[in-house]
C-alpha cells in the first residue's frame, strides 16, 4: 500500500481478501486449521485487532523501509569437530535510520511478557533477552551479507492485547563494540549448535523431554 491507502479499512479488507484466497487450502487439510466456524471467527476478529493496534502505534514510512519479509542466511565459524552451521531466517522489516545505519523490526502477534509489571525484574530481563536473541541473530546475518550491513537498533513490536508495545534495544554505538556484540551472538549460536550435536550423539532418547511440537527434533528422531 502507498501512504494514502494505508488505512485501517484498506488493511483489514486486504486481510479478508487474502484469507478468502487461501481458506479452502487450510480448511481442507487434516486436521483443519479451525474445527468450527466459531474458532475461525474468533481468529479473524483477533487478527483484525492486531492490524488496528499496529496502525495506532505507527505509520510506516516508505522512504525509510529497506526490506520486508526478506530471507537471510549466514554460515557460522565452527570448530573442526562440528558439522557446518548455516543459519537461515526471515526478517519482517529492516528500516534505515537517520545516520544511515539499519534497524531490525520483528512483529509478534502475542503480548510482551517481558513488560508485565507483576513479573520479578529478573524474570522480565530473562524473557527480554530470550526474545531479543532472534533479532541479534538477524543483525549478525545482515552483517555477514555482501557489503556488511551496519545494524544499530532492534525492535520487537508486540501487537496483542489492548495496544501495541515495542521492546527496543540499541547496539553499541562504537563500531568495534558493535562488531564484538555480533561476534558474541555468533559464539552463542555455535554453543547452541554444540549442545544440539551432543544430544544427537546421545541418541533419540535425549530429546524426549522436548515439548515444543514445532521443533525439528520430533521429525529427526
Amino acid at each position: 500500500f502507498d501512504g494514502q491507502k494505508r488505512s485501517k479499512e484498506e488493511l483489514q479488507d486486504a486481510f479478508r481478501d487474502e484469507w478468502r484466497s487461501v481458506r479452502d487450502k487450510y480448511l481442507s487439510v487434516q486436521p483443519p486449521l479451525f474445527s468450527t466456524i466459531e474458532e475461525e471467527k474468533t481468529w479473524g476478529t483477533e487478527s483484525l485487532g492486531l492490524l488496528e493496534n499496529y496502525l495506532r502505534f505507527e505509520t510506516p514510512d516508505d522512504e525509510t523501509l529497506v526490506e520486508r519479509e526478506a530471507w537471510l542466511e549466514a554460515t557460522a565459524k565452527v570448530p573442526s569437530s562440528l558439522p557446518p552451521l548455516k543459519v537461515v531466517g526471515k526478517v519482517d522489516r529492516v528500516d534505515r535510520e537517520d545516520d544511515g545505519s539499519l534497524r531490525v523490526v520483528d512483529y509478534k502477534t502475542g503480548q510482551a511478557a517481558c513488560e508485565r509489571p507483576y513479573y520479578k525484574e529478573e524474570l522480565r530481563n530473562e524473557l527480554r533477552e530470550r526474545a531479543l536473541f532472534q533479532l541479534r541473530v538477524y543483525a549478525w546475518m545482515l552483517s555477514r551479507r555482501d557489503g556488511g550491513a551496519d545494524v544499530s537498533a532492534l525492535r520487537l513490536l508486540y501487537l496483542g492485547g489492548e495496544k501495541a508495545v515495542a521492546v527496543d534495544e540499541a547496539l553499541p554505538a562504537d563500531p568495534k563494540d558493535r562488531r564484538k556484540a555480533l561476534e558474541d551472538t555468533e559464539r552463542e549460536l555455535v554453543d547452541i549448535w554444540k549442545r544440539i550435536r551432543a544430544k544427537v550423539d546421545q541418541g533419540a532418547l535425549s530429546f524426549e523431554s522436548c515439548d515444543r511440537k514445532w521443533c525439528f527434533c520430533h521429525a529427526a528422531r
Side-chain angles (χ1 to χ4, degrees), residues 168-180:
D168 293 315
E169 177 174 85
L171 295 183
D174 183 88
K176 291 182 180 179
D177 292 339
R178 194 176 297 176
R179 283 195 297 271
K180 183 181 181 302

Side-chain angles (χ1 to χ4, degrees), residues 154-170:
L154 312 174
R155 166 167 285 179
L156 285 163
L157 187 52
Y158 290 89
L159 302 174
E162 295 181 357
K163 63 179 183 179
V165 174
V167 176
D168 293 315
E169 177 174 85

Side-chain angles (χ1 to χ4, degrees), residues 107-125:
Y107 303 118
K108 299 297 183 184
T109 57
Q111 300 182 48
C114 59
E115 296 296 305
R116 292 174 182 170
Y118 47 84
Y119 283 173
K120 292 183 178 179
E121 184 177 359
E122 182 179 354
L123 177 57
R124 291 203 306 270
N125 290 337

